[in-house]
Amino acid sequence: MHSTSALSFSQATSLPTTNYAFHSHSAVNLRFCGLRRQAFGFSFSTHSTSTRLRLSTRAHSYKISASDGNNGTPPKSFDYDLIIIGAGVGGHGAALHAVDKGLKTAIIEGDVVGGTCVNRGCVPSKALLAVSGRMRELQSEHHMKALGLQVSAAGYDRQAVADHANNLASKIRNNLTNSMKALGVDILTGFGTIVGPQKVKYGKVGSTDTLVTAKDIIIATGSVPFVPKGIEVDGKTVITSDHALKLEFVPDWVAIVGSGYIGLEFSDVYTALGSEVTFIEALDQLMPGFDPEIGKLAQRVLINPRKIDYHTGVFATKITPARDGKPVIIELTDAKTKEQKDTLEVDAALIATGRAPFTNGLGLENINVLTQRGFVPVDERMRVIDANGNQVPHLYCIGDANGKMMLAHAASAQGISVVEQVTGRDHVLNHLSIPAACFTHPEISMVGLTEPQAREKAEKEGFEVSVAKTSFKANTKALAENEGEGLAKLIYRPDNGEILGVHIFGLHAADLIHEASNAIALGTRIQDIKFAVHAHPTLSEVIDELFKSAKVKAPASTSTSTSTSSPVTEPVSA
Amino acid sequence: MASPFLSNSTISFSSSLKSSTLPRLFPSVSFSSIRFKPTPRRILTVRSKIREIFMPALSSTMTEGKIVSWVKSEGDVLSKGESVVVVESDKADMDVETFYDGILAAIVVGEGETAPVGAAIGILAETEDEIAEAKAKAASNSGASAPSAPPPPPAPAAGSTPAPPNSTPAYAAPIASEGLRKTVATPYAKKLAKQHKVDTESVVGTGPYGRITPEDIEAAAGILPSKTNVGPVVVVEVKPAAPTKATSDSSAPSSIPPPVPGSTVVPFTTMQTAVSKNMVESISVPTFRVGYPVTTDALDALYEKVKPKGVTMTALLAKAAAMALVQHPVVNASCKDGKSFSYNSNINIAIAVAINGGLITPVLQDADKLDLYLLSQKWKELVEKARAKQLQPQEYNSGTFTLSNLGMFGVDKFDAILPPGQGAIMAVGASKPTVVADADGFFSLKNKMLLPVLLPAMIGVIDFASVLLASKMYSSVMSSTIGVNVTADHRIIYGADLAAFLQTFSKIVENPGSLTL
């Protein structure tokens, strides 16, 4: 669907711009997945026109919706151009871009600026992982010897490690706050509730609420750790990532429920700090969601040689915190037969079964919006959809709250996309170009489709799929670091050179993925990008080799910049 | 073991074994691998087998391999050609396939562990009924080196088990409500237990809540919980044939002569290492040798007749030896434990072949039962496979008796070393014209081969044809004779046995009509 719509779209670009704008506005449901070209054409020439057009369209549809919902009347003038509910990474990204676009912007935050990512997620966990990476290295006698280093004994001070994580979070939080303040974003403190179209109230519990109006509203309230029923979280021995990041204690033996990103990262931290880990995974395989081949390799490196064992195909149906001289007790139930299978006794249990949207108390009922399992329903432009399937005008939802892709940078990208739209430039975010990373040692990263997904799509749409792989074992820099373990995998269309997915497991994989994700976002084809030059010796050459090893039938496009034409005759030998 | 598996893609290993008293299979190359007795061939369709999966040699330099992962788990049904295990070599991780259908009964060497090339890493059962037997085999295979487990503690009597007196009060007695207290071991403890073959049920946990900790397992396995996992350096005791000089007291280094200036040291290849190991091992077997001259005129004549049908002299000799062995089963037997005879139900003739940089012994299985033509064809295939390094383990390690020939080099007689695991080896020299007195009292020259038993090192493909043909011109005037020399394990095979066997062999060769039956 992706490619076909992109094709039909490029035909559209050849039309006069006015036509084009009209086209995009009237056919609201048209999907522009390939949005690159479309976006360019738009922003250059039709900015003002389309803005006007858009506003009228919106006003029109709003009237319909308002009469349906009978949710009061829209204010004539607004306090703000844009109000964002939730100052996490998504809200922050949207706010900064809004200011850049000249919008008067406010952001409502009931807790601390930075949201989950900065305070209870990506940021502090990176601090812990920085520690675990070094510990792991220092403890690996083999690794040290291979480098000729001698280290007597590696140890750590738990509190100091915890402080490092906490300090990092507050530093980033301050940076975020200051950046918004400096740009003139009003930070309104309190929980935000939508009371009607374009109207929000906010206030702290117990104090009186303040009503503010805005032309457009973005919901960016994020998520909280999801705890399945039957599990009693006491915050001490049965914990979620929120608690674990504070590193209040390092258990001898910790069970981690869920083997996704969060669970994997914590297993990396805990085992480096001396814990033993037991994974509990409901699906039949560890690391579901990763490309199977990458998952297999990751298991080979990240699980099997470490002090980790696992139970797959089981639910932790009951977890009781340690008390009365008893350890944490976990009851395991077979995921298929529903029979109780085993009981584990461990020192702590970390619940990493995913995250649930934080949308309670948002006042969505006031505008006739029903959440789905807590998620706010949105279309591909993040426009909120009400219970009748209609768009709610001027209301958007980004980030974890809409559940499209629960990643901080995805939220931010969605926020920027929304700001583009409300400032008159249609924009649809291509989620397949959003990279993801898991910061274990070594790291795992990916963008686009996994191989099974690509094959399924190819089957449906009738194209061929090829896979290219390169090993870190052949990379000079990786070998210099004595970190040759790793694999990069490219899934692509051999007929036209389209990149369908890239998966990397290896040293600094999270930093390496962007070459691929940028290529996907920009629509760059393999036959063109393979001529781009990489510094030698760098890890990026793994990706360079990956592109070069792909066998694409289509010739390199001649329209690419002139700089690519000369190296063709004389390939760079690094 | 190394050499036959140099093919570089997917490789499979597996071999039959039977005796449960077997020690762990050593990285057996060629001859020596015949330590275990192959199961009878005929069961192919009737009964089933238990096979070992060996650590393959993925390159000529590989001496040990690391199991990256088991693609299959215990209990999985395998079909021929499927990947079973991923093994890491110095170059890449390679999938190893099975050549047999069956069930992966037991994994002997777990993921992330290392095993020498040729060591059993898993056990393959053909049917479900054999899984238990195979598991027992796996346990005995690997348990051999495991230290005797500490006396098992009295079975913890239900929930009433009191906390060990010295346990901290914080860890109260385990949940009393639960009937039978189950063993709790930490993930690493379980890994260690598997690695060191410690039964966690027999270990008393000293950790929190009475759980078994890695330290408990290390203690049970008799390992010092030192950081370094490197075991004590094994001092290889070199047993020089010459008596040690009384003066050289304890100064060990003096036993190794200083290198001659300008000499170069070339380390053994894997195959050479294995040969060396087997040869040293053979010293522990008390052997003796018996020689016998065999007249080959009739055999030569027969050979001329069957040669156009693709029959080789090797096949003729193998067939003759096999037929002789039928009548003397003790020569086809082996002594595995120093206490008993192990009679082999199959007669599998191993024949030494020199291949580039080493040697290997392809095996003609059931040489007594297959007819000459089939044997010849089989031999041709085996030699081709050996050269291409594609022999499967049972094609070179299932021999029960070995044949070796240096006749083509003009060696008139020699004496072979008995490969470990076999009862006897026959060495065949060059045929040469011999003057013999015939029934009329005339002397004539006959071709006789001197058959000493084979030296398991350095043997070329034994194709007697050329040797025998060269001597044919004499046959009208004199007879051709070869010198046959057999080396045997005197624990089970005595002089009279060998003499009788050689007599039978000689008769068969001198009246070779039965060979074509």
Side-chain angles (χ1 to χ4, degrees), chain A residues 439-504:
Chain A
F439 294 84
T440 44
H441 295 93
E443 295 168 346
I444 311 170
S445 64
M446 69 208 73
V447 65
L449 304 174
T450 63
E451 189 176 340
Q453 285 169 346
R455 298 222 177 264
E456 195 188 326
K457 185 178 169 181
E459 180 92 4
K460 253 186 232 158
E461 297 174 19
F463 59 82
E464 209 187 319
V465 169
S466 289
V467 171
K469 291 177 219 168
T470 52
S471 166
F472 278 65
K473 272 181 188 155
N475 181 275
T476 309
K477 188 72 191 313
L479 291 178
E481 300 285 342
N482 201 23
E483 303 270 5
E485 195 80 65
L487 176 80
K489 177 175 174 179
L490 166 68
I491 301 152
Y492 65 103
R493 285 181 62 155
D495 56 344
N496 63 10
E498 183 188 346
I499 300 169
L500 301 172
V502 173
H503 302 264
I504 310 173

Side-chain angles (χ1 to χ4, degrees), chain B residues 46-397:
Chain B
V46 190
R47 270 184 288 144
S48 41
K49 295 189 188 188
I50 294 170
R51 296 188 166 96
E52 291 196 346
I53 298 170
F54 291 105
M55 171 60 71
L58 300 173
S59 71
S60 53
T61 51
M62 178 170 164
T63 54
E64 57 172 33
K66 188 172 157 198
I67 308 286
V68 174
S69 66
W70 281 93
V71 180
K72 301 287 177 179
S73 322
E74 288 186 2
D76 282 1
V77 176
L78 310 177
S79 49
K80 193 176 167 184
E82 268 189 299
S83 291
V84 181
V85 60
V86 181
V87 171
E88 185 184 272
S89 77
D90 47 352
K91 294 190 180 63
D93 296 344
M94 291 188 184
D95 282 20
V96 178
E97 296 173 359
T98 171
F99 274 125
Y100 298 96
D101 295 340
I103 298 161
L104 184 58
I107 287 171
V108 178
V109 181
E111 292 183 0
E113 292 173 36
T114 303
V117 167
I121 55 176
I123 308 280
L124 190 65
E126 204 157 87
T127 65
E128 280 190 25
D129 304 336
E130 287 158 345
I131 291 181
E133 193 190 335
K135 281 199 165 150
K137 194 141 297 172
S140 66
N141 252 357
S142 41
S145 60
S148 54
S160 64
T161 315
N166 58 347
S167 76
T168 33
Y171 306 131
I175 320 132
S177 59
E178 275 188 331
L180 227 149
R181 173 107 181 99
K182 63 175 197 139
T183 315
V184 176
T186 72
Y188 188 47
K190 278 187 246 172
K191 265 181 197 175
L192 280 177
K194 204 171 150 197
Q195 199 180 327
H196 298 296
K197 319 292 176 202
V198 172
D199 179 11
T200 50
E201 299 294 330
S202 67
V203 176
V204 181
T206 63
Y209 313 103
R211 77 169 65 125
I212 297 166
T213 63
E215 292 75 28
D216 295 337
I217 299 291
E218 281 175 336
I223 304 163
L224 291 175
S226 65
K227 275 283 213 174
T228 49
N229 265 350
V230 188
V233 179
V234 179
V235 179
V236 181
E237 194 184 337
V238 183
K239 230 191 280 175
T244 42
K245 274 185 255 173
T247 50
S248 70
D249 54 65
S250 61
S251 56
S254 68
S255 65
I256 299 164
V260 177
S263 64
T264 48
V265 176
V266 180
F268 281 160
T269 62
T270 316
M271 182 184 262
Q272 288 160 346
T273 306
V275 169
S276 163
K277 184 173 183 298
N278 291 335
M279 292 308 95
V280 171
E281 203 164 297
S282 72
I283 295 171
S284 63
V285 177
T287 54
F288 72 112
R289 292 149 187 92
V290 174
Y292 206 96
V294 179
T295 308
T296 57
D297 295 322
L299 192 69
D300 294 345
L302 174 68
Y303 176 61
E304 275 308 292
K305 268 198 270 173
V306 294
K307 193 178 158 196
K309 293 175 188 165
V311 173
T312 61
M313 184 55 83
T314 303
L316 278 171
L317 285 168
K319 179 75 181 168
M323 288 177 69
L325 287 169
V326 172
Q327 296 180 41
H328 303 274
V330 72
V331 184
N332 193 49
S334 58
C335 180
K336 293 178 196 300
D337 52 5
K339 286 182 254 172
S340 61
F341 295 79
S342 292
Y343 287 101
N344 295 304
S345 46
N346 293 37
I347 294 174
N348 297 343
I349 309 290
I351 304 167
V353 176
I355 58 170
N356 200 14
L359 97 139
I360 189 129
T361 53
V363 174
L364 281 171
Q365 297 189 340
D366 294 311
D368 58 322
K369 298 198 182 71
L370 297 182
D371 71 36
L372 255 185
Y373 309 102
L374 267 177
L375 270 185
S376 303
Q377 199 187 335
K378 206 126 198 227
W379 179 245
K380 203 174 149 226
E381 287 168 19
L382 286 172
V383 171
E384 275 167 13
K385 272 187 165 178
R387 296 234 160 92
K389 296 171 177 173
Q390 282 170 349
L391 281 181
Q392 295 174 28
Q394 87 284 359
E395 290 176 325
Y396 62 85
N397 63 14

Side-chain angles (χ1 to χ4, degrees), chain A residues 18-93:
Chain A
T18 44
N19 254 358
Y20 170 61
F22 173 73
H23 178 65
S24 76
H25 276 282
S26 57
V28 183
N29 286 329
L30 248 188
R31 283 160 191 270
F32 295 112
C33 294
L35 80 139
R36 268 295 125 191
R37 276 146 230 248
Q38 146 211 14
F40 282 140
F42 223 55
S43 62
F44 286 135
S45 47
T46 54
H47 197 108
S48 55
T49 326
S50 71
T51 309
R52 244 180 287 122
L53 271 172
R54 168 175 296 280
L55 284 175
S56 60
T57 322
R58 287 303 162 90
H60 178 62
S61 62
Y62 162 66
K63 274 170 205 151
I64 297 166
S65 158
S67 57
D68 282 349
N70 196 20
N71 280 325
T73 48
K76 295 277 180 252
S77 66
F78 302 102
D79 299 327
Y80 293 100
D81 292 325
L82 180 66
I83 287 183
I84 301 158
I85 308 175
V89 168
H92 176 258

Side-chain angles (χ1 to χ4, degrees), chain A residues 207-429:
Chain A
S207 64
T208 50
D209 289 345
T210 313
L211 192 76
V212 283
T213 59
K215 205 163 73 187
D216 293 290
I217 297 168
I218 296 178
I219 299 169
T221 46
S223 62
V224 292
F226 169 69
V227 178
K229 66 176 170 43
I231 298 177
E232 186 186 337
V233 171
D234 71 345
K236 297 204 160 52
T237 56
V238 179
I239 58 177
T240 67
S241 54
D242 288 1
H243 312 104
L245 288 165
K246 293 182 187 147
L247 201 72
E248 278 167 355
F249 89 121
V250 178
D252 288 345
W253 183 4
V254 58
I256 299 181
V257 185
S259 66
Y261 299 77
I262 303 173
L264 264 186
E265 290 190 356
F266 274 107
S267 79
D268 196 277
V269 171
Y270 278 126
T271 52
L273 299 185
S275 303
E276 296 183 36
V277 169
T278 296
F279 269 119
I280 298 167
E281 172 58 54
L283 297 178
D284 285 336
Q285 286 218 313
L286 288 180
M287 293 178 261
F290 291 87
D291 182 87
E293 196 173 357
I294 295 290
K296 214 168 112 185
L297 179 63
Q299 180 169 343
R300 206 183 269 174
V301 176
L302 300 177
I303 308 270
N304 296 349
R306 297 185 180 171
K307 296 176 180 179
I308 301 176
D309 69 352
Y310 50 86
H311 299 261
T312 53
V314 290
F315 290 120
T317 33
K318 188 161 187 263
I319 301 185
T320 319
R323 61 167 87 100
D324 308 329
K326 284 187 205 164
V328 175
I329 297 168
I330 303 175
E331 284 180 15
L332 298 182
T333 303
D334 191 289
K336 288 192 191 81
T337 64
K338 310 290 176 204
E339 281 166 21
Q340 189 174 333
K341 235 184 153 181
D342 209 346
T343 306
L344 301 181
E345 294 172 13
V346 293
D347 298 318
L350 168 65
I351 313 305
T353 43
R355 301 186 62 85
F358 180 61
T359 51
N360 274 345
L362 251 179
L364 292 171
E365 62 283 355
N366 299 332
I367 43 165
N368 191 30
V369 171
L370 285 179
T371 59
Q372 294 166 358
R373 291 178 300 122
F375 292 109
V376 178
V378 293
D379 67 4
E380 78 279 4
R381 287 179 175 77
M382 310 305 140
R383 294 182 288 211
V384 175
I385 306 295
D386 71 12
N388 303 325
N390 299 320
Q391 285 168 31
V392 180
H394 305 294
L395 184 63
Y396 302 81
C397 177
I398 62 168
D400 288 4
N402 71 30
K404 272 186 177 290
M405 201 176 203
M406 296 174 84
L407 295 166
H409 49 276
S412 185
Q414 290 170 356
I416 289 167
S417 175
V418 168
V419 170
E420 284 293 297
Q421 290 174 60
V422 302
T423 53
R425 176 174 166 259
D426 192 23
H427 187 272
V428 176
L429 182 64

